[in-house]
Amino acid sequence: MQQVAADPSRTSADFLPLKGVDHIEFYVANAKQAAYFYRRGFGMALTAYCGPETGTRDRASYVVEQNQIRFVLTTPLNPESAMAGHILRHGDGVKNIALRVDDATAAYRETTQRGGRGVAPPVVSKDDGGEVCLAAIATYGDTIHTFVERHNYRGAFLPGFVEVPGPDRIAEPTGLRHVDHMVGNVGLGEMNKWVEFYERVMGFSLYQTFDDSDISTEYSSLMSKVVSNGSGWIKFPINEPASGRKKSQIEEYLDAYRGPGVQHIALATDDIVSTVTQLSQRGIDFLKVPKSYYDELPRRVGSIEEPLGQLAELGILVDRDQDGYMLQIFTQPVEDRPTLFFEVIERKGSRGFGKGNFKALFESIEREQARRGNL
Ligand code: FE2
């Protein structure tokens, strides 16, 4: 491995060493049914649960996992809670991008000292599995980041959760491995504010920039900047709408979600053809790509290992940059509101986000918007 001299401009990243995405928590109107969707549709295993049966009175949470991906699906059990208000306003969506740290108290102190808004000071909780320390700060919209310090916690998930017995886990893995990136949509003119938030408060640095000439169609466009943490493992693209002739997909999201929030979660696979074939068979709906896209593909990306016919059949997109190529595909929104969706991504050298696919993709998204009467 090549040794790279330390970049002095990056030393500020050291104040918040992140070990990865611990979990992603969704607030949903019916967690029992949402858990079934992720188990059946994505092949995730139900691993842990908390609710009235386990002594938690105000909510029920289902933990589903596949390899390094862990989602927590939480629903309120009474209408007075802030959680119920969150669902009334936003619909189902991502509440919490929880990040693993070695020291949650230090993470909370360092980020709030730099201007982060604290939403939960550090609290230690314990059970038979050991102890964890959790603290949380706010990010865009009503979204938060919880810092999760697990010590050597051996329980099912967090104190208060019970392990789901073997026969109820029903894992039918589809090859999804880890979270590649998570994208936030913010309001017009707010992208740089949130990029600056991640730089100043969390020690991230700017990774890539796309302006509206990169990402535009005749009707709509957006701007996007990608920030990443010190290790480069965590990447958060931040989108804002840019003016177009008609309503952009970012504006549609902001209207439907009633403000900023997580737009999509990209899940990495080592075999996108196999993963997408299985997800399709399980009823996950993907965006359609015009057939003409594949006529252009060989000229645009050169030779690739995957058979073009299979990619066209599944609607998988391909992009190439100086480091290699990548394959990606996007689901339809997974709620009735046109808000959160998923991306499945396989990287073959490329560290990009599919810039060359934006135009093809957006034309496809706009056809769906038109079908909903929002274009
Ligand atoms: Fe993406």
Side-chain angles (χ1 to χ4, degrees):
M1 184 186 280
Q2 194 184 355
Q3 201 68 29
V4 180
D7 175 354
S9 70
R10 293 297 293 266
T11 53
S12 64
D14 295 340
F15 72 79
L16 185 63
L18 300 173
K19 304 182 83 180
V21 176
D22 187 89
H23 63 273
I24 300 165
E25 183 172 26
F26 302 67
Y27 281 178
V28 298
N30 188 331
K32 180 182 268 190
Q33 291 189 6
Y36 180 77
F37 175 81
Y38 288 102
R39 294 165 77 186
R40 174 66 198 140
F42 288 78
M44 302 180 82
L46 178 64
T47 56
Y49 170 80
C50 82
E53 302 85 348
T54 67
T56 302
R57 303 304 304 173
D58 66 336
R59 67 185 66 193
S61 291
Y62 295 73
V63 181
V64 296
E65 299 182 48
Q66 186 169 165
N67 294 309
Q68 293 173 59
I69 302 161
R70 177 157 55 193
F71 296 158
V72 181
L73 305 155
T74 296
T75 202
L77 298 177
N78 63 66
E80 294 82 20
S81 64
M83 200 187 306
H86 192 281
I87 294 167
L88 182 66
R89 179 173 176 80
H90 299 297
D92 289 6
V94 172
K95 173 63 181 179
N96 186 3
I97 304 168
L99 303 167
R100 182 90 57 88
V101 296
D102 280 331
D103 186 341
T105 305
Y108 185 82
R109 184 185 61 239
E110 295 291 335
T111 51
T112 53
Q113 276 177 358
R114 287 170 169 81
R117 180 167 64 84
V119 292
V123 172
V124 174
S125 56
K126 297 177 189 180
D127 67 6
D128 293 346
E131 72 174 51
V132 301
C133 183
L134 304 177
I137 63 167
T139 178
Y140 47 77
D142 288 330
T143 317
I144 65 171
H145 288 302
T146 293
F147 301 118
V148 182
E149 171 190 339
R150 292 187 166 279
H151 299 288
N152 292 312
Y153 186 71
R154 300 171 311 279
F157 171 52
L158 291 174
F161 282 76
V162 294
E163 195 170 342
V164 171
D168 291 333
R169 291 182 164 232
I170 320 178
E172 295 174 327
T174 51
L176 297 169
R177 311 225 44 109
H178 62 267
V179 174
D180 184 274
H181 59 275
M182 295 187 65
V183 181
N185 281 344
V186 301
L188 187 65
E190 293 189 341
M191 175 182 68
N192 286 325
K193 180 182 106 178
W194 288 106
V195 167
E196 195 261 341
F197 165 88
Y198 279 103
E199 290 174 336
R200 173 174 47 88
V201 173
M202 297 185 63
F204 282 45
S205 38
L206 190 61
Y207 187 78
Q208 282 182 24
T209 298
F210 307 97
D211 63 25
D212 52 356
S213 65
D214 291 323
I215 313 176
S216 69
T217 64
E218 184 184 356
Y219 293 128
S220 73
S221 59
L222 66 79
M223 296 195 288
S224 188
K225 286 184 177 176
V226 184
V227 290
S228 79
N229 75 319
S231 70
W233 292 337
I234 298 173
K235 297 187 195 76
F236 294 147
I238 308 287
N239 294 335
E240 74 167 67
S243 57
R245 275 177 52 196
K246 296 194 177 179
K247 184 188 268 189
S248 78
Q249 53 149 319
I250 309 304
E251 288 173 273
E252 189 195 35
Y253 174 101
L254 295 168
D255 287 352
Y257 199 69
R258 295 289 194 274
V262 173
Q263 179 211 36
H264 75 265
I265 301 169
L267 303 174
T269 172
D270 296 333
D271 185 348
I272 196 167
V273 169
S274 163
T275 295
V276 173
T277 300
Q278 292 179 69
L279 297 186
S280 297
Q281 284 167 355
R282 291 153 184 248
I284 301 298
D285 294 321
F286 292 95
L287 288 184
K288 302 282 181 283
V289 183
K291 289 289 176 219
S292 56
Y293 172 90
Y294 295 94
D295 302 335
E296 283 291 295
L297 197 60
R299 190 190 52 79
R300 197 163 60 78
V301 302
S303 91
I304 55 173
E305 290 172 19
E306 295 74 14
L308 206 58
Q310 257 183 323
L311 299 182
E313 199 177 306
L314 294 166
I316 293 168
L317 306 167
V318 191
D319 198 22
R320 185 181 284 280
D321 59 24
Q322 67 281 359
D323 300 315
Y325 69 98
M326 54 92 89
L327 306 102
Q328 62 184 167
I329 189 168
F330 299 87
T331 71
Q332 299 280 4
V334 294
E335 315 76 17
D336 292 296
R337 297 192 201 186
T339 52
L340 177 76
F341 59 89
F342 286 88
E343 172 180 352
V344 179
I345 183 168
E346 181 178 357
R347 295 190 179 278
K348 294 204 159 170
S350 167
R351 289 178 291 172
F353 296 84
K355 176 168 141 180
N357 283 322
F358 285 131
K359 193 176 172 70
L361 166 70
F362 283 13
E363 285 168 355
S364 169
I365 289 176
E366 283 166 4
R367 277 193 296 279
E368 304 296 332
Q369 264 183 268
R371 284 180 48 215
R372 294 188 286 265
N374 285 337
L375 189 64

